[in-house]
């Protein structure tokens, strides 16, 4: 990629925005008021705003390898805290995607250096759901199912946080688990039973 082209693209983008609305950047600089926190994969094919069809200012975004929400990851925890407590988003989305390289790597027993501790979180998802996954003989189907189960487990990690539980109680915040299907371009709603998970989670993780 020619890096200079990016500056040309940016220049054109600025012009297009100003042609539609001369105050576009003035308004953008006043502040943000997003309603959605989107947690997705860093994969270059899975964008956040573009696939949801939202504009700058509409989604607070966190992306990392395999859309993980590890309980001890200061970055993910800070993003959730800031989005829920200060920006007061009403929706938290964890969006995985089929053919995720991070999930694939976690399925293989290879030494991947610094990636090992990160991928171990996905291997723990595999271990937790080993009974179900073992029954899926087709490797491709097992891979896709692990992507879905990983989204579900990361939603649980989101729900474990005190600020999400408080926001649910105070203003009805909801958590959604999605998978982006690269083959069709469609977002699949896994229809995670938020209130049931919350009930189960709160038995153990409930914070006053
Ligand atoms: Co991925």
């Amino acid at each position: 990629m020619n890096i200079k082209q990016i500056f040309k693209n940016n220049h054109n983008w600025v012009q297009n925005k100003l042609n539609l609305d001369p105050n576009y950047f003035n308004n953008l600089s006043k502040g943000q008021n997003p309603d959605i926190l989107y947690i997705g994969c860093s994969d270059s094919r899975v964008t956040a705003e573009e696939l949801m069809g939202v504009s700058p200012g509409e989604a607070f975004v966190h992306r990392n390898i395999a859309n993980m929400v590890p309980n001890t990851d200061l970055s993910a925890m800070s993003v959730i805290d800031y989005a829920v407590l200060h920006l007061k988003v009403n929706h938290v989305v964890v969006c995985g995607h089929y053919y995720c390289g991070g999930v694939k790597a976690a399925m293989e027993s290879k030494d991947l250096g610094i990636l090992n501790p990160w991928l171990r979180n996905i291997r723990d998802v595999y271990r937790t759901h080993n009974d179900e996954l073992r029954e899926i003989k087709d490797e491709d189907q097992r891979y896709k199912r692990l992507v879905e189960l990983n989204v579900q487990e990361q939603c649980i990690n989101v729900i474990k946080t005190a600020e999400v539980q408080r926001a649910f109680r105070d203003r009805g915040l909801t958590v959604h688990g999605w998978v982006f299907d690269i083959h069709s371009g469609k977002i699949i709603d896994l229809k995670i039973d938020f209130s049931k998970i919350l009930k189960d989670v709160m038995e153990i993780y409930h914070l006053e």
Side-chain angles (χ1 to χ4, degrees):
M1 180 183 275
N2 182 353
I3 292 295
K4 280 184 184 158
Q5 184 60 44
I6 288 177
F7 287 87
K8 286 182 195 154
N9 294 347
N10 172 254
H11 177 80
N12 293 340
W13 177 73
V14 169
Q15 288 308 315
N16 286 340
K17 289 289 180 197
L18 291 176
N19 286 344
L20 291 167
D21 177 6
N23 288 316
Y24 184 78
F25 294 102
N26 279 339
N27 289 334
L28 209 56
S29 64
K30 283 177 189 159
Q32 59 170 335
N33 187 24
D35 199 33
I36 297 174
L37 164 60
Y38 171 96
I39 300 169
C41 184
S42 296
D43 192 303
S44 59
R45 300 165 296 177
V46 189
T47 63
E49 289 86 353
E50 192 171 339
L51 72 88
M52 291 193 289
V54 300
S55 301
E58 291 187 295
F60 200 65
V61 172
H62 182 70
R63 290 170 69 180
N64 60 33
I65 293 176
N67 42 270
M68 303 301 289
V69 187
N71 302 300
T72 52
D73 179 33
L74 192 57
S75 179
M77 289 300 132
S78 302
V79 166
I80 292 171
D81 188 274
Y82 187 71
V84 173
L85 222 56
H86 298 279
L87 297 173
K88 303 210 180 310
V89 299
N90 286 308
H91 301 275
V92 179
V93 168
V94 177
C95 185
H97 67 101
Y98 294 139
Y99 305 105
C100 180
V103 173
K104 184 77 184 169
M107 284 175 77
E108 294 161 355
S109 37
K110 264 192 213 154
D111 183 356
L112 293 160
I114 191 71
L115 278 173
N116 287 337
W118 189 257
L119 297 177
R120 204 165 291 145
N121 295 301
I122 310 173
R123 293 191 173 121
D124 283 342
V125 174
Y126 201 112
R127 184 171 51 79
T128 307
H129 296 275
N130 200 13
D131 289 348
E132 180 187 338
L133 291 165
R134 194 191 286 131
E135 293 300 311
I136 307 172
K137 299 298 173 214
D138 183 81
E139 200 183 322
D140 209 41
Q141 290 305 317
R142 195 163 66 242
Y143 179 18
K144 287 174 108 172
R145 186 60 186 144
L146 181 56
V147 164
E148 295 170 0
L149 291 169
N150 185 46
V151 167
Q152 186 181 304
E153 290 298 324
Q154 302 320 313
C155 285
I156 292 171
N157 284 343
V158 170
I159 295 166
K160 282 178 197 168
T161 64
E163 53 271 32
V164 166
Q165 292 184 18
R166 281 194 202 103
F168 166 73
R169 187 187 60 199
D170 297 346
R171 59 175 198 272
L173 171 142
T174 43
V175 177
H176 312 266
W178 297 349
V179 170
F180 178 68
D181 181 4
I182 291 189
H183 267 138
S184 68
K186 287 184 179 162
I187 297 171
I188 299 162
D189 186 354
L190 296 178
K191 297 197 167 59
I192 282 168
D193 191 341
F194 175 63
S195 44
K196 186 190 175 296
I197 291 175
L198 187 75
K199 199 166 153 274
D200 293 348
V201 159
M202 282 177 114
E203 272 182 35
I204 304 165
Y205 298 95
H206 179 59
L207 300 166
E208 290 299 328

